[in-house]
Amino acid sequence: MPGGSGRFRRANRLLSPKDFQRVSREGRRVSSRAFVLLWAPSRSRDAPGARLGITVSRSVGNAVVHNRLKRAVREWYRQASDIPQGIDLLVIARPAAEQLDAREVMWELGELVERAGAEGLR
């Protein structure tokens, strides 16, 4: 697990708007119908593994949908064993993500990481 334990700790999160902007600007990208996955080398010395940021805009349903998607993305991150350390990940939900259940979210993100691996994520 990228975070080391079952929790999504502060050290495993992208917190500042500058970090989100940096990954958006400098990061590599793969996308699917429901998500965009961006990654860039981490500049944080405090992060024990990969750091994760999640963006769900207003076009992707209401607050209930936002929270459900964010929980599913965090669960995928906790269970993912193929995410290398020392990178920052940004997951952006697209409107199509609203229709996915937690299992489908995990599958879709797993597929994106697989494609990203082919493009240099590892």
Side-chain angles (χ1 to χ4, degrees), residues 35-117:
F35 294 101
V36 176
L37 176 69
L38 296 103
W39 71 93
S42 181
R43 292 192 180 159
S44 171
R45 293 183 207 110
D46 301 334
R51 295 189 309 163
L52 175 68
I54 306 167
T55 301
V56 183
S57 72
R58 290 182 185 175
S59 65
V60 187
N62 60 19
V64 173
V65 172
H66 292 199
N67 291 329
R68 180 179 55 79
L69 285 171
K70 288 193 260 185
R71 277 193 306 272
V73 171
R74 286 192 301 265
E75 184 60 26
W76 161 78
Y77 172 81
R78 281 190 283 271
Q79 293 182 11
S81 60
D82 52 353
I83 299 174
Q85 297 199 7
I87 64 164
D88 291 339
L89 292 172
L90 178 57
V91 175
I92 302 171
R94 290 180 163 173
E98 181 178 0
Q99 306 303 319
L100 302 178
D101 64 19
R103 182 182 49 79
E104 293 168 325
V105 168
M106 293 178 77
W107 181 85
E108 185 112 8
L109 291 171
E111 290 290 312
L112 284 177
V113 167
E114 220 174 272
R115 285 184 31 215

